[in-house]
Amino acid sequence: METTPTTSAIPEKRLDRTPRVVVTRRLGPVVEDRMGDLFEVSLNATDLPLTREQLIEAMQDCDVLVPTVTDRIDAELIEKAGDNLRLIANFGAGTEHIDLKAAAARNIMVTNTPGVFTDDTADITMAGIIGVPRRVREGVELIRSGEWTGWAPTAMLGRKLGGKVLGIVGMGRIGQAVAHRARAFGLQIAYHNRKRLPEAIERMFGATFVENLDDLVAQADILTLHCPSSPNTRHIIDARRIGLMKEGASLINTARGDLVDQEALIAALESGHLAGAGLDVYPDEPNVDRRLIGHPNVMTLPHIGSATREGREESGMKVIANIRMWADGHRPPDQVLSGLD
């Protein structure tokens, strides 16, 4: 399906008043202070996710809504929005929590903050790529329990990284940043993507394109996911594909929780088919299945892939730039393309 931008949400001229902006979560003092200087801004002092009723109320009395991934802005909420709401300036790159078609139907523009968290997320991914084969979580807990009895030739044996195949599902900004890092550890890079990368980029990463996802899954010693959440990618790693993975392989997911069939993953971990997993995202956040938490070689992180001071501030400044450009009657630099027929 081709994508076309929404254009009617841009003011015909500069907004004739200070934009009224509602921010759904705390964005840090640097960003919030700057917003306070520029806009008539309403902040969420509690930092608790807004209820559905609170979101409806907020959207009825503002020009700009600044949501995050914790806010589900669906068609019903957008339909109930006030006439003044003309911009949803999302904090973050992902927009799967916003109904873009419903926003376009109401002439509401949507912007995001792409590219900001690429390196931060790639770094956390590497923590899993290294930590799971080397059983880092299990080692930390052994020390903390006081049960470590000292070094032994056969103790805590993990798996070597060098020479192993890292399968990357989704070779966009983050996937490429992971490939760049992983190559330094001697990993062989194979990837699956909707479109094959140019040959020059493949050479730069030493990456091999695998057209069939099943083939990539079967080749990988470590499989890492970097594709967006959508109806087409939900459970892209399901029981069948987990069954195709090598005995003792590892799965890393720092993208979105619904990419993986969690029950199938848990079954493969408990049976020993998979050696471990590194997870920063879950299908029912903030709830994390106790079976994952209890597994000795599952690194369970609290969705911190983008959690650096520098990254969060840069994302907030992108939000501000998008709002200012919109209010001045110009097209914001990070307008999202809506999937319209």
Side-chain angles (χ1 to χ4, degrees):
M1 180 184 298
E2 294 185 356
T3 58
T4 55
T6 59
T7 57
S8 53
I10 303 175
E12 294 181 0
K13 59 181 180 179
R14 181 185 179 91
L15 203 66
D16 60 3
R17 53 183 165 75
T18 303
R20 296 194 301 273
V21 178
V22 171
V23 182
T24 66
R25 300 297 299 269
R26 296 302 303 269
L27 301 184
V30 172
V31 175
E32 291 178 350
D33 288 349
R34 185 59 176 154
M35 283 187 166
D37 292 339
L38 296 170
F39 314 130
E40 183 183 325
V41 62
S42 175
L43 301 173
N44 179 359
T46 68
D47 200 31
L48 295 174
L50 299 183
T51 65
R52 192 169 182 83
E53 290 72 25
Q54 288 171 324
L55 277 171
I56 291 172
E57 182 179 356
M59 293 169 70
Q60 287 176 342
D61 191 33
C62 66
D63 302 302
V64 181
L65 180 73
V66 180
T68 72
V69 69
T70 60
D71 305 300
R72 182 169 177 77
I73 312 299
D74 58 26
E76 182 182 2
L77 260 66
I78 290 171
E79 180 61 31
K80 293 181 179 180
D83 292 338
N84 287 328
L85 179 62
R86 283 291 173 264
L87 175 63
I88 298 175
N90 188 60
F91 179 90
T95 57
E96 68 274 6
H97 55 294
I98 302 170
D99 191 320
L100 298 179
K101 285 189 175 182
R106 283 286 309 271
N107 293 329
I108 298 171
M109 182 180 291
V110 178
T111 60
N112 65 345
T113 60
V116 174
F117 301 125
T118 298
D119 288 332
D120 300 332
T121 305
D123 290 344
I124 283 293
T125 302
M126 287 304 302
I129 289 171
I130 299 166
V132 174
R134 294 303 305 271
R135 299 170 65 183
V136 168
R137 173 187 167 170
E138 193 173 350
V140 169
E141 293 189 357
L142 183 62
I143 292 289
R144 289 182 173 178
S145 70
E147 296 177 2
W148 185 49
T149 57
W151 182 90
T154 58
M156 288 294 298
L157 298 182
R159 293 174 182 263
K160 188 174 182 176
L161 289 177
K164 298 298 192 298
V165 176
L166 175 66
I168 301 176
V169 182
M171 200 66 159
R173 291 188 183 96
I174 297 173
Q176 291 181 36
V178 169
H180 174 70
R181 289 157 171 75
R183 195 177 184 193
F185 286 84
L187 285 156
Q188 298 179 33
I189 310 300
Y191 76 97
H192 173 79
N193 205 44
R194 285 179 297 179
K195 294 182 179 179
R196 183 171 183 172
L197 298 177
E199 185 179 348
I201 296 179
E202 290 184 344
R203 285 200 306 269
M204 181 171 62
F205 296 124
T208 301
F209 176 63
V210 181
E211 186 173 5
N212 187 288
L213 179 56
D214 287 357
D215 292 340
L216 178 72
V217 168
Q219 293 176 23
D221 297 290
I222 305 167
L223 188 70
T224 182
L225 309 181
H226 301 289
C227 45
S229 174
S230 73
N232 292 332
T233 60
R234 183 178 186 274
H235 289 183
I236 192 171
I237 304 302
D238 55 11
R240 184 185 66 81
R241 285 198 168 119
I242 290 174
L244 295 175
M245 294 178 70
K246 291 180 180 179
E247 193 83 16
S250 303
L251 176 66
I252 313 299
N253 186 11
T254 59
R256 288 291 184 263
D258 64 358
L259 300 180
V260 178
D261 182 335
Q262 184 169 269
E263 286 298 322
L265 171 62
I266 291 170
L269 290 165
E270 291 181 341
S271 72
H273 176 66
L274 295 185
L279 307 174
D280 190 41
V281 289
Y282 310 90
D284 186 29
E285 296 183 15
N287 301 308
V288 181
D289 194 291
R290 301 303 300 181
R291 293 170 291 177
L292 293 173
I293 296 172
H295 192 282
N297 200 27
V298 176
M299 294 178 63
T300 47
L301 299 176
H303 204 150
I304 59 172
S306 65
T308 66
R309 293 180 186 275
E310 297 88 345
R312 295 283 169 86
E313 287 184 6
E314 187 178 350
S315 182
M317 292 306 172
K318 271 184 168 280
V319 169
I320 291 170
N322 284 325
I323 297 173
R324 294 187 74 181
M325 289 290 286
W326 171 83
D328 284 343
H330 304 300
R331 186 180 305 283
D334 300 310
Q335 181 180 355
V336 175
L337 298 181
S338 301
L340 302 176
D341 291 325

